Amino acid sequence: MSTTAATPDPIQPIDPLAALRAATDPEHDVYLTGTVFLDIIFTGLDHAPVRGTESWARGMGSSPGGIANMATALARLGLHTTLAAAFGTDVYGDYCWESLALGEGVDLNHSRRVPGWHSPVTVSMAYEGERTMVTHEHPAPPPAVQGAPPRSRACVTAFEPGRQEDWVRQAHAQGSKIFADVGWDESGRWDPAALPDLPYAHAFLPNAAEAQRYTRTDSPERAVRALAELVPIAVVTRGAEGAVAIDSLTGESAEVPGLPVDALDPTGAGDVFVAGFMTGTLAGWPLTYRLAFANLTAALSVQHFGGSLAAPGWPEVAAWWNRALRPADGTADAAELARRYAFLGELIPDRVRDCPRLRALPTIGFRVHDSARRS
């Protein structure tokens, strides 16, 4: 396993918003803020760690995690992404900063370095389809951005019961579209009224378990209809079973089944799904295309270990599409898959179809600038 980006791509393969850009547009497509962790992932363990013994892992990777998972997923799909976060001045902070700014092209002008603050670290161990994580984190510094956030087409956030974020309200007032998912309600109330920022949401994307609890329904389909009464765009993800959505702004509804893949690690798949759906929404695609694209990017991500390590870019999407056009079995299911994703043929230029994405270094010990100097 390898770490995140070593060098920027020689070309920017696809700008999904190219046809929509104007001189008066905001500088940023997406703004987000949160905590960046250094993620260290051990893979290839034969079993769960056993007390008092030493375990050996056949693979290891490092990458920026936490909110960096979402930032990376957005940037790899061609959206101009700016992140406001605190970074320590330790080696971990240097690595995460360089990986995001130089490797992934994430704008960090609204982030800051915090002398003396130990960067948060999470160690994840993957085995038998499960994962165990250990996190070390010092008290977080004050928010990276004071006052109103920068103008952007959209923002992404995670709602928490009882927590209101001033920046979400401010971003909404500036015209940003707010895309949000939600975490598990430890209180057990599952009351939409306890999500004070929900009225500002342009799109709300909970998973099926969360959506059904918040709406007191017994299926994702009923849950999405109930949520569509609360927000302009409601999406309910069903994991390996796909997703359902209603866009009340356009009057569209859509449902896509899951994609058959060999899933290794679901870490970050939700972030990748949101990034894919945001890309299609900001580009003005029909709801069926948006949902299918989000479903695809999430499915591609679970085939690899790690959070931001696994987020696909356009070359990975193009490689999947090339295989879908030439199915090995020639079954009706394969033909239906090619039909459902036929819109990708108009989005992916020929120059991208065989374009590799070089974003790997073996360990945190190597520096981006060292690699560039050797090349």
Side-chain angles (χ1 to χ4, degrees):
M1 186 177 217
S2 302
T3 62
T4 194
T7 57
D9 284 343
I11 60 171
Q12 177 64 42
I14 291 179
D15 178 359
L17 308 186
L20 305 176
R21 298 196 184 280
T24 56
D25 287 345
E27 177 184 359
H28 311 294
D29 294 331
V30 185
Y31 166 82
L32 65 168
T33 185
T35 302
V36 174
F37 293 76
L38 169 67
D39 283 355
I40 301 174
I41 307 103
F42 290 102
T43 65
L45 291 162
D46 293 325
H47 51 73
V50 178
R51 181 178 180 181
T53 67
E54 182 177 12
S55 298
W56 289 85
R58 290 186 292 274
M60 189 199 86
S62 303
S63 67
I67 194 63
N69 292 339
M70 180 69 77
T72 299
L74 292 163
R76 288 184 182 176
L77 292 177
L79 297 183
H80 300 171
T81 303
T82 187
L83 169 65
F87 291 78
T89 54
D90 51 12
V91 171
Y92 301 156
D94 290 347
Y95 169 76
C96 289
W97 184 285
E98 292 175 1
S99 295
L100 289 167
L102 302 182
E104 304 296 349
V106 175
D107 176 84
L108 297 180
N109 285 330
H110 302 284
S111 293
R112 63 193 181 95
R113 308 302 298 270
V114 182
W117 182 55
H118 188 297
S119 298
V121 177
T122 294
V123 175
S124 176
M125 292 161 280
Y127 53 87
E128 300 172 353
E130 300 290 342
R131 59 191 173 102
T132 298
M133 296 184 291
V134 178
T135 295
H136 174 71
E137 181 180 10
H138 288 200
V145 170
Q146 304 292 335
R151 288 184 63 240
S152 61
R153 295 176 188 267
C155 298
V156 60
T157 188
F159 293 153
E160 288 186 15
R163 188 189 73 180
Q164 186 165 25
E165 297 281 7
D166 287 341
W167 73 264
V168 170
R169 173 180 52 79
Q170 293 166 339
H172 179 268
Q174 293 175 167
S176 292
K177 295 179 171 65
I178 308 299
F179 291 72
D181 59 11
V182 68
W184 192 259
D185 186 353
E186 299 292 347
S187 73
R189 292 177 56 200
W190 299 101
D191 182 3
L195 303 176
D197 290 330
L198 187 61
Y200 302 117
H202 180 73
F204 185 43
L205 304 94
N207 64 36
E210 297 156 351
Q212 288 171 221
R213 283 170 172 80
Y214 271 113
T215 58
R216 309 297 194 270
T217 55
D218 59 3
S219 72
E221 294 75 19
R222 290 188 177 92
V224 78
R225 287 196 293 270
L227 290 174
E229 300 293 325
L230 303 176
V231 293
I233 303 174
V235 181
V236 175
T237 60
R238 304 181 299 192
E241 302 302 316
V244 292
I246 294 176
D247 186 336
S248 299
L249 298 173
T250 63
E252 298 170 280
S253 61
E255 178 177 358
V256 295
L259 290 172
V261 296
D262 294 325
L264 294 178
D265 184 0
T267 304
D271 293 333
V272 171
F273 183 97
V274 173
F277 190 81
M278 288 184 72
T279 299
T281 301
L282 295 180
W285 301 349
L287 183 61
T288 300
Y289 293 1
R290 289 180 259 163
L291 205 60
F293 186 72
N295 196 47
L296 170 60
T297 54
L300 293 176
S301 76
V302 302
Q303 296 180 91
H304 303 278
F305 288 104
S308 62
L309 285 171
W314 283 103
E316 289 86 357
V317 172
W320 180 89
W321 173 236
N322 288 343
R323 292 193 298 272
L325 286 176
R326 297 187 293 270
D329 53 16
T331 63
D333 288 343
E336 169 60 20
L337 196 65
R339 184 199 63 77
R340 184 180 307 123
Y341 285 90
F343 68 93
L344 292 175
E346 299 178 4
L347 293 174
I348 304 172
D350 290 340
R351 73 179 188 277
V352 179
R353 294 178 186 265
D354 298 311
C355 173
R357 182 168 183 125
L358 304 176
R359 58 172 179 241
L361 280 176
T363 76
I364 192 175
F366 297 117
R367 296 286 196 166
V368 172
H369 54 76
D370 290 341
S371 175
R373 187 159 45 240
R374 289 194 300 269
S375 61

